[in-house]
Amino acid sequence: MTTREDIELYVMGQYDGDVAALERAIAEDPALAQILADEARLDEQLRNAAARATFCPACDDLVRATRCDACGAAVKPGGYTVERVLVSNAHGRMYVAHDADGRRVALKELAFVQAPGADALAKFEREAKFLRALEHPAIPRFLASFEEGRGVHTRYYLAQELVEGTALDRLDEHWYSEVEIRELARQVLGVLVYLQSLSPMVIHRDIKPANLVRRDDRSIALVDFGAAHVHGSTAGVTTVGTFGYMPIEQLAGLVDATTDIYALGMTLMHLMTRQEPWRLVQAKAEVNASPELRAFLAKLTANDPRERFPDAKAALAALDAPAAIGPVAAPSKKRRPALIAAAAGVAFAAAGGSIFALAHHAHHDAPPASPIGTVRVQFVGADTAKLRIDGHQVATVASNQEIPVAAGSHQFRLAGPGGGECEVTLDVQGGKTSTIECAFREAPFEMQMQPWTWKWDWPWNGPHHERRFGERLHTHKRVSWKLDHVKLHDFALLAANTCDFSVVVPDGVDVPVSVNIRDAQCDDAFTAILEAQGLGYSFDGSSQLVRIAPLKDLDDVTPWTNDLPGGKELDLDVKDAPLHDVLALIVKSGGAGVNLVVAQGIDGKVTIRLAAVPWNQALGAVLAAQGLWYRYYPESNLIRVAPAHDFDGR
Amino acid sequence: MTAAPAWDDAIREHDRRVYVSVLALGLPPDRAREVTQMTWTRLIEQYAKGKLADLELPGLAIRQARFYALNEHQRARTEMRVLAAVPEPPAGDPERDLASRQELERVLAALETCSPQARRVFRLVYATPGGTAQTAAQAVGLSLQRVRQILCETRAHIRKELAR
């Protein structure tokens, strides 16, 4: 009995029954012949449709524009035709694509949930810059970089040579012999020798099995330079890397030639043992290998950077001449400062503070000088002060506190709570203690209670304008903004991200912003845009906190929340969040165990971006933004929040 | 003139397509096979004589096969059900273009309502050069039998949508 399905399969060339019998049946039965003609016509229609349709390379949905509506994957970015998605995560995708000549490329896409932030862009541009300059057979060749879309739809693309092969983390069925491990080490060290021979040297910072691709000819390629760092620059201050593969000092931002050496060692040990690096460290596992290879791996992965090979060249030489590998000694007391410094960096991070990334690190020439020195801060006129090193906030410090700092020249800036500042450049000596002394000027009482008032005429012969603020936002960073009807909340978050300040935006100022600014100083551009909307800001330099408000409301004093108990510094990034939730979150995250009572009838929404702002200052700014005030009852450790007019003689 | 094609490869790649296009005109399988063979023979001869300036496959082979099929019908003057026996209007005819576009839209709209897995199999078989049920099964990690089943279900679904 011949069915329609048989004929369908026959038309598709998939019928695996007796074809001759089927054809006879069709020839004898006009109804079956009709079905055959129908199915053949349908097949033609499907082929025509398939030829003209564009399918999403990620989800196979039909795509009517340049990007899939269902999953957002690109179809033809920059003239490249996407074949498939290799990797997809919150920050973007990696595609396999081909250009007009059919040449296959790896296309890296950077996507944004909000308008692109400075960090994300810097990382992407850094990778493009690195790849453009690198020329080595084991490093994918840079082909092009470009951008598409605008605002939150902006996508950045980086086209590079497609490394065909298998990442080593996918070869989990493979047991590595010692010979293979040595060959792998030799190849990767060869690449590292090249990177370290560049001036300035390039540190990959994320060597791990997933970033090592074995080609069909068994050669190894090193991919993903998104975390790479030019030694000696101050740009790569963000802690990047993969936990387990990076040495402990990398958590504190310390990177040098031995960073990649350590990561290679952990990678080799992972491949040999199939144990994740952190398990290896925890279990103090021994690698089943010859004593020579064990000694080599131990020297690669020594905890103290000074006990590792000083660079890839030395490691490569030792690999080929194992007798040259010296024993790895246990860390001595003399070497403790470096470890203390790294641990201190981790402790800062754990406490919610910033990690001070030490960009400079002494070379390990024998005898090695300690790469870490100590700076003691001494000041009068304030109990605590904010310490910034090389423009990066480190922590809130007390007088006489000692801070471990990398040897080298650094700029230190101490900011007191009253607005006073001291700035000094010091050449920190390894193993020695330097002292910074500062006397904060006592701030006038009025300054503590209400913002400064500046008045000027603008335009000079035009109507009188007035702008008020505590301090002036001051950043030399240059920006180019092209915005078309972007909501003020989004603009504020963009500016805060780009120009590195914290911001609180109250409810009711969500006006659209349309500007086209090229290469302007961030603070000027930000101020001008706000003023054009009838807005202004108050600024607290000690926490880099900007509070936006209508000009008429800038008279409202920000509550001086220093009577509240101390607590944590907060990092927070929320948009249009209910005021109640934000207040509760700030109080809870502040870690001071304070109880919160909010008066009835208080609602609204607030947009806020905080980076290392003390919880009480954050609370003050949010309250001021919403026209609220507070009273603190220390006996009960309780805060009552209510409209400002409810409090007499505030 | 384009470079000499590897005819064996071209026939292996496009023969099924040409054959199905003749079946779609209502020719029985044996006659359709003959017409397809005549088509390839004719193309090879014409190409050898240098009479084919633009060898666009499978389009040219399908047009040639359709021409033979209609001739066959006229010559035999049989009662054969030539469903597309009326010669197609010349290319560029606005009415035909519109009908073609509408038909295409309906197929695409029907395809959009299929499951993601069905769309993937469809793409691998119909929109991938050299795609077959075997290659699709390998790509999606399903058995050949299951892929054939999905293809039949997809065709049935689209057929139903087109019949509305």
Side-chain angles (χ1 to χ4, degrees), chain A residues 34 45 55 430 447:
Chain A
Q34 179 70 48
Q45 285 177 313
F55 291 89
M447 181 180 167

Side-chain angles (χ1 to χ4, degrees), chain A residues 11-12 39-47, chain B residues 20 126 155:
Chain A
V11 167
M12 289 188 283
E39 289 301 329
R41 236 187 3 270
L42 177 64
D43 207 66
E44 290 228 292
Q45 285 177 313
L46 296 181
R47 288 202 181 275
Chain B
V20 170
Y126 286 100
R155 289 171 65 102

Side-chain angles (χ1 to χ4, degrees), chain A residues 362-555:
Chain A
H363 284 281
H364 306 300
D365 302 330
S370 169
I372 305 296
T374 307
V375 170
R376 180 184 296 125
V377 288
Q378 290 184 332
F379 49 83
V380 292
D383 294 333
T384 59
K386 296 269 189 189
L387 174 63
R388 294 172 78 84
I389 306 180
D390 294 337
H392 299 278
Q393 186 164 310
V394 177
T396 301
V397 293
S399 187
N400 281 318
Q401 190 168 333
E402 291 188 353
I403 310 292
V405 176
S409 178
H410 299 289
Q411 186 197 48
F412 297 85
R413 188 174 164 201
L414 275 169
E421 283 188 357
C422 296
E423 192 171 301
V424 63
T425 300
L426 265 187
D427 195 11
V428 178
Q429 304 288 319
K432 294 185 179 172
T433 300
S434 311
T435 302
I436 302 171
E437 292 179 346
C438 177
F440 294 119
R441 189 164 45 87
E442 287 287 334
F445 179 73
E446 291 77 12
M447 181 180 167
Q448 292 186 13
M449 293 307 291
Q450 62 183 39
W452 289 97
T453 299
W454 281 18
K455 295 183 180 179
W456 77 95
D457 289 333
W458 177 265
W460 301 113
N461 53 358
H464 180 260
H465 286 256
E466 188 175 79
R467 183 174 68 171
R468 295 153 187 259
F469 43 82
E471 297 171 60
R472 193 182 193 286
L473 172 64
H474 193 63
T475 165
H476 291 296
K477 190 154 192 170
R478 302 197 77 78
V479 293
S480 295
W481 285 326
K482 190 173 180 184
L483 309 172
D484 185 15
H485 277 77
V486 172
K487 286 185 173 181
L488 183 85
H489 287 224
D490 291 331
F491 162 69
L493 291 174
L494 167 72
N497 271 316
T498 310
C499 308
D500 198 20
F501 57 80
S502 299
V503 69
V504 175
V505 191
D507 216 354
V509 295
D510 213 2
V511 288
V513 176
S514 299
V515 293
N516 190 354
I517 291 176
R518 283 188 162 274
D519 193 29
Q521 197 160 298
C522 183
D523 45 6
D524 290 339
F526 180 69
T527 308
I529 290 171
L530 289 187
E531 286 187 341
Q533 308 291 345
L535 301 170
Y537 62 83
S538 69
F539 177 61
D540 182 341
S542 66
S543 54
Q544 294 287 303
L545 179 59
V546 167
R547 173 171 68 83
I548 295 175
L551 281 171
K552 63 182 174 54
D553 294 341
L554 278 174
D555 281 335

Side-chain angles (χ1 to χ4, degrees), chain B residues 4-154:
Chain B
W7 284 109
D8 286 351
D9 292 344
I11 292 170
R12 197 175 302 117
E13 187 179 347
H14 303 300
D15 186 62
R16 186 92 211 152
R17 187 88 198 270
V18 177
Y19 175 61
V20 170
S21 74
V22 179
L23 287 178
L25 291 178
L27 259 65
D30 54 343
R31 290 302 301 144
R33 193 168 295 116
E34 279 175 27
V35 164
T36 308
Q37 283 168 3
M38 281 164 56
T39 299
W40 288 118
T41 308
R42 176 77 174 164
L43 286 185
I44 293 168
E45 283 172 1
Q46 294 294 308
Y47 187 83
K49 288 179 187 169
K51 292 186 176 175
L52 296 179
D54 187 16
L55 192 61
E56 173 231 335
L57 293 175
L60 185 61
I62 290 173
R63 283 196 294 277
Q64 180 69 41
R66 281 174 174 267
F67 175 78
Y68 276 141
L70 293 175
N71 264 357
E72 173 85 0
H73 168 59
Q74 285 166 0
R75 186 180 58 77
R77 295 186 185 284
T78 61
E79 295 272 322
M80 188 174 63
R81 291 157 300 283
V82 181
L83 301 174
V86 181
E88 290 181 6
D93 177 64
E95 205 173 314
R96 179 194 165 200
D97 287 351
L98 180 65
S100 171
R101 269 204 306 276
Q102 284 175 339
E103 185 183 273
L104 177 71
E105 277 305 313
R106 290 173 69 201
V107 173
L108 292 177
L111 197 56
E112 269 179 333
T113 59
C114 293
S115 71
Q117 188 184 49
R119 281 199 305 267
R120 181 145 194 235
V121 168
F122 179 87
R123 175 173 69 83
L124 290 166
V125 172
Y126 286 100
T128 309
T132 63
Q134 284 84 352
T135 57
Q138 208 171 8
V140 296
L142 293 173
S143 69
L144 179 60
Q145 213 49 39
R146 176 65 189 132
V147 165
R148 284 175 178 166
Q149 198 180 0
I150 290 172
L151 280 171
C152 287
E153 286 166 4
T154 306

